[in-house]
Amino acid sequence: MSPVRVDSTVRTYDIICFGDEVPGVLALVCGAREYYRQTKQYPRTLLLFKGNPKLGIGGHLVRGGLSYLDRSAVPSAIRQSRRLDTFGDPPAIYKEFLQKAGVALIALDPVKADAALRDMLREVGADIIGDIEIKSVIKEGQKIAGIKLTNDETYLGKQFIDSTVNAELAQAAGVKKLKGFETFGLPNSELAVTLVFETHGLSIDRLKNVEYQYLKRFTKIADTEAQKWLNVAAGGDPARADELRKNLVDSQGNLKTMFVGQDYIDVRCKALSIAYHAFRGTPLSFESSSAILDNGNVAILSGGRLSWNALLFGVNADQAEALARAKAKPTPEMLKEILFVRKWFESIGASQVKPAEELYIRHAGNIVGAVDPLSGSEMLSGGVPDTQALGTFGYHFDIRGGIKGLDTRATTKGFNNLAFNPPLFNIGFQHALVKNVPNLAVISPASGFVGYASSAGRIVEFNCGVGQGVGIAAGMAIAQGRNLADTSNTQVRTILAQTGRLPQIYGTSNVLLASQLGDFENQMIA
């Protein structure tokens, strides 16, 4: 007897977001709210993602445990003249999320973040489906019509948002993506990935004291035992050993002790890193080690928990893409390294060390064909014009762990100084829209960034500002029967102003540096 054929499930939505990174989730919420504002009913919205929803919604901030939030950097003179808070005037949707998640300044508890996002999704009636894989994308002409999953379920939609680090939906829809830092002519090079971990039972006072003792010993040449440890971390290279010693003191010769803020710790030197690598027996260098314990960005959480963004793993472009496609799960080698991390932190007072469920993947290439690509030089020029701006964001060109081959390639092109000032730039969303797929936006480190732009543009706070713009544009598009790509920054800005959500605009232009960086970015891509 032949089996009875059952048709696969087909469901229809207005807005579908693929990937549950926070900017994408907030974009979906903004889209639903804008549609409601215009029509007095919520659209049909769907959040589709590869991760396990039982482990939380919120991508690398939740399942990846990245509790130390990178916040907008605004020069004090601008803050004072405009009476701005420490982090300037963030996007309204991001402020709402931080408040709902109980963030004081920087530390985001993943459990509270998950609850806040679920609450916001519940408010707009969004459906949530995790643990999925794309089988294929259905297209009608240039537009995405739907997503077919490997379980043969099909989800049709009008507007689509991709918030994955590797633009996975966009790739499946035929959008070209450059590998690694191909925008610098370095297709195999990629930023390091992090396996965030939490320590329990290690008090801040104890941690400060441990670091202080190491600092005193590593800076004392007569302490032969400590110098042997430092030499291990230096890989036996005297020049590297000197470099590590210099890192331990500031320009006045004072020990660079950690700075403890209200809900965070900034580890300013490599004393703890040296001690760990001496224990581990590996050099503190990506040239010689696949993993390094870097200066920690530490979030202070409740119950004596400290969340560490510190353990970096070197990857190439293909590895970053493969990790992103494999649900950002740590490899067996990475989990093996955590055993050493656990042992060392227990030796200095931790009762427990818990790695996150997923990796923090900083970058995995960039899409080609954005409506208006965004370069580092444009960021230094101040971003979009004030009259189009949806907000302002400041951050340094952060290439943590380095971009392999960048210095060498730059030198061959005649560039010996790669130190550029942090940009303070106005936010738009045209770099997230795709010309050839007009109902798709990519809100992530994989957006249409060129050159150094992806290093500042990968930060969550910035992408939440972009996501707010894309969400409002998506709500407008379905209410008015048009495409995302037909919506302008100015139209969204008008709505933000009308609804009292337009923040202060204070992007600044550094014409000379922008010109220098523009020359660099243009030469490097050639």
Side-chain angles (χ1 to χ4, degrees):
M1 198 171 135
S2 61
V4 177
R5 185 188 169 94
V6 180
D7 287 332
S8 61
T9 310
V10 178
R11 294 183 204 157
T12 304
Y13 289 88
D14 295 302
I15 310 173
I16 296 177
C17 178
F18 182 75
D20 71 323
E21 295 297 336
V22 170
V25 176
L26 297 185
L28 193 67
V29 169
C30 287
R33 287 178 178 175
E34 178 56 27
Y35 185 82
Y36 181 85
R37 191 184 74 85
Q38 293 199 21
T39 66
K40 293 296 174 275
Q41 61 181 0
Y42 283 113
R44 294 158 298 176
T45 52
L46 171 65
L47 179 66
L48 267 183
F49 60 103
K50 298 176 70 157
N52 181 351
K54 290 176 185 169
L55 300 175
I57 292 171
H60 76 272
L61 296 190
V62 175
R63 291 187 306 280
L66 188 69
S67 296
Y68 185 108
L69 295 174
D70 291 316
R71 302 299 310 274
S72 183
V74 184
S76 57
I78 292 174
R79 291 205 314 268
Q80 286 164 12
S81 67
R82 292 181 165 269
R83 297 182 179 174
L84 294 168
D85 288 339
T86 308
F87 306 116
D89 196 0
I93 191 70
Y94 191 61
K95 280 200 271 199
E96 180 188 340
F97 166 65
L98 296 185
Q99 189 237 328
K100 283 187 166 160
V103 174
L105 286 176
I106 278 175
L108 174 74
D109 188 319
V111 176
K112 292 178 182 175
D114 171 52
L117 293 171
R118 286 181 190 272
D119 184 50
M120 293 166 92
L121 289 165
R122 197 178 301 115
E123 173 221 316
V124 301
D127 288 343
I128 301 165
I129 304 173
D131 270 332
I132 60 93
E133 292 283 350
I134 295 177
K135 184 176 184 180
S136 61
V137 165
I138 303 160
K139 291 182 80 173
E140 286 178 0
Q142 290 185 306
K143 290 161 61 170
I144 299 177
I147 303 170
K148 186 164 190 170
L149 305 182
T150 50
N151 62 6
D152 279 344
E153 290 175 354
T154 299
Y155 295 91
L156 306 177
K158 294 174 183 171
Q159 310 295 332
F160 291 83
I161 295 164
D162 181 342
S163 73
T164 62
V165 71
N166 61 328
E168 193 163 332
L169 174 61
Q171 287 191 71
V175 177
K176 189 187 175 195
K177 190 190 74 151
L178 298 176
K179 279 177 59 177
F181 280 94
E182 203 168 336
T183 68
F184 275 146
L186 296 165
N188 298 316
S189 298
E190 197 45 279
L191 295 183
V193 302
T194 289
L195 181 52
V196 176
F197 58 89
E198 277 186 12
T199 57
H200 297 203
L202 178 58
S203 74
I204 295 166
D205 283 344
R206 168 76 178 155
L207 183 63
K208 281 168 70 178
N209 186 52
V210 167
E211 184 197 50
Y212 183 64
Q213 298 306 325
Y214 280 133
L215 271 167
K216 283 201 300 185
R217 295 193 67 183
F218 291 143
T219 52
K220 190 176 178 183
I221 299 293
D223 188 334
T224 53
E225 185 181 34
Q227 296 312 309
K228 277 182 191 169
W229 296 341
L230 190 141
N231 199 45
V232 172
D237 178 353
R240 174 66 173 153
D242 282 342
E243 188 186 317
L244 289 174
R245 276 188 216 96
K246 281 176 188 161
N247 171 266
L248 305 177
V249 293
D250 63 21
S251 54
Q252 279 79 46
N254 300 312
L255 297 177
K256 272 170 39 180
T257 52
M258 61 181 61
F259 175 80
V260 180
Q262 182 182 340
D263 60 355
Y264 65 96
I265 302 169
D266 287 336
V267 178
R268 301 189 305 137
C269 77
K270 299 203 180 296
L272 295 174
S273 305
I274 293 165
Y276 172 74
H277 279 270
F279 160 81
R280 180 72 175 89
T282 56
L284 176 51
S285 150
F286 273 134
E287 281 68 49
S288 315
S289 304
S290 58
I292 64 170
L293 188 74
D294 198 16
N295 300 29
N297 293 338
V298 186
I300 302 169
L301 303 175
S302 61
R305 293 175 296 147
L306 299 176
S307 173
W308 293 74
N309 172 8
L311 184 61
L312 303 180
F313 295 90
V315 293
N316 62 30
D318 289 336
Q319 288 166 333
E321 176 73 25
L323 287 168
R325 287 184 179 270
K327 303 187 179 185
K329 287 294 183 187
T331 65
E333 292 77 20
M334 294 173 184
L335 295 174
K336 185 180 170 187
E337 191 69 33
I338 275 286
L339 298 178
F340 292 98
V341 170
R342 176 177 290 138
K343 201 169 175 184
W344 185 75
F345 271 94
E346 285 172 352
S347 78
I348 64 166
S351 59
Q352 202 178 358
V353 175
K354 290 177 65 178
E357 294 286 345
E358 293 182 8
L359 294 165
Y360 167 29
I361 302 170
R362 288 174 171 78
H363 182 255
N366 290 95
I367 61 161
V368 177
V371 168
D372 187 9
L374 180 59
S375 66
S377 60
E378 285 172 292
M379 287 179 172
L380 275 177
S381 296
V384 302
D386 288 1
T387 52
Q388 295 181 24
L390 314 180
T392 304
F393 181 73
Y395 205 75
H396 63 292
F397 294 122
D398 180 11
I399 51 170
R400 188 165 184 180
I403 299 172
K404 192 174 181 181
L406 183 62
D407 288 349
T408 308
R409 186 166 161 75
T411 303
T412 62
K413 299 274 187 181
F415 294 94
N416 298 311
N417 181 12
L418 301 186
F420 294 99
N421 289 11
L424 183 69
F425 59 99
N426 294 334
I427 298 171
F429 65 91
Q430 303 292 297
H431 67 281
L433 304 182
V434 184
K435 264 190 243 173
N436 293 333
V437 188
N439 63 338
L440 171 67
V442 177
I443 312 166
S444 85
S447 297
F449 296 121
V450 177
Y452 262 134
S454 61
S455 60
R458 65 187 175 80
I459 305 301
V460 169
E461 183 163 333
F462 165 69
N463 280 309
C464 287
V466 176
Q468 180 171 257
V470 166
I472 290 169
M476 289 169 66
I478 54 171
Q480 296 161 20
R482 53 201 178 102
N483 288 320
L484 267 173
D486 302 328
T487 316
S488 69
N489 289 324
T490 311
Q491 288 169 314
V492 170
R493 179 194 162 91
T494 302
I495 287 173
L496 286 173
Q498 285 171 350
T499 56
R501 288 176 289 163
L502 183 67
Q504 286 195 50
I505 305 300
Y506 41 91
T508 58
S509 177
N510 190 323
V511 178
L512 179 62
L513 275 182
S515 172
Q516 290 171 358
L517 181 52
D519 288 345
F520 174 70
E521 288 174 325
N522 290 332
Q523 291 262 348
M524 288 293 285
I525 202 166

